Amino acid sequence: MPCLCPLFSCQWEGHLEVVVPHLRQMHRVDILHGTDIVFLATDMHLPAPADWLIIHSCFGHHFLLVLRKQERHAGHPQFFATMMLIGTPTQADSFTYRLELNRNHRCLRWEATPRSILECVDSVITNGDCLVIGTSLAQHFSDNGSLAIGIAISAATEICSSEAEM
């Protein structure tokens, strides 16, 4: 498979098992560990297009958060956030992720099943199957040009057992 890093035009190709080492070594993408983390995207005022990435590691898997600022309509940039499992579509169906923005007595939450990294990040964003927020809404949640995004990953078995308890 080709390099999936949207930040660079990279000619690298390799197997799914070596995507994470490639992203870490060649593109300096950081890894955060744990089921619940907070990712701080800085410099939100950068002109579109711009991308922010982080690898989230939990449950023995790696997930790639892609936050993209791009213009869908001329002069109107939007932010798109999605979580991609660095694995197969079948593996991705075993998880749920939640993205949460909290600030100034406001909360915005998106919950979904991650997509497999084998799918194209661009098509996920183009289809709008992700958290989509306009620039003015992003400003409500930002602090001095930084956006803190809470990220939580749940395994499907966890979700089923917690629903059964209710």
Side-chain angles (χ1 to χ4, degrees), residues 33-80:
H33 299 272
T35 55
D36 296 294
I37 63 169
V38 175
F39 171 60
L40 186 63
T42 59
D43 299 324
M44 299 301 293
H45 60 276
L46 289 173
D51 285 307
W52 294 262
L53 301 174
I54 192 73
I55 296 172
H56 182 166
S57 179
C58 61
F59 297 113
H61 292 275
H62 293 91
F63 301 83
L64 180 68
L65 172 76
V66 177
L67 174 63
R68 176 170 294 163
K69 182 180 183 181
Q70 77 179 35
E71 291 185 14
R72 270 228 173 132
H73 309 288
H76 300 284
Q78 292 179 305
F79 290 90
F80 303 85

Side-chain angles (χ1 to χ4, degrees), residues 60-153:
H61 292 275
H62 293 91
F63 301 83
L64 180 68
L65 172 76
V66 177
L67 174 63
R68 176 170 294 163
K69 182 180 183 181
Q70 77 179 35
E71 291 185 14
R72 270 228 173 132
H73 309 288
H76 300 284
Q78 292 179 305
F79 290 90
F80 303 85
T82 189
M83 186 68 74
M84 309 289 286
L85 174 74
I86 300 176
T88 66
T90 302
Q91 290 171 318
D93 286 342
S94 300
F95 298 97
T96 299
Y97 73 95
R98 182 179 67 238
L99 304 178
E100 191 169 291
L101 304 173
N102 281 295
R103 189 160 188 279
N104 296 328
H105 307 290
R106 292 174 177 87
C107 178
L108 180 64
R109 182 180 295 163
W110 169 266
E111 293 184 26
T113 300
R115 303 297 278 279
S116 167
I117 200 75
L118 298 174
E119 299 178 49
C120 178
V121 173
D122 292 336
S123 68
V124 172
I125 289 172
T126 299
N127 293 335
D129 189 16
C130 56
L131 173 63
V132 181
I133 58 175
T135 307
S136 61
L137 187 57
Q139 288 172 353
H140 284 295
F141 291 102
S142 69
D143 183 19
N144 291 324
S146 296
L147 193 62
I149 303 172
I151 305 168
I153 304 284

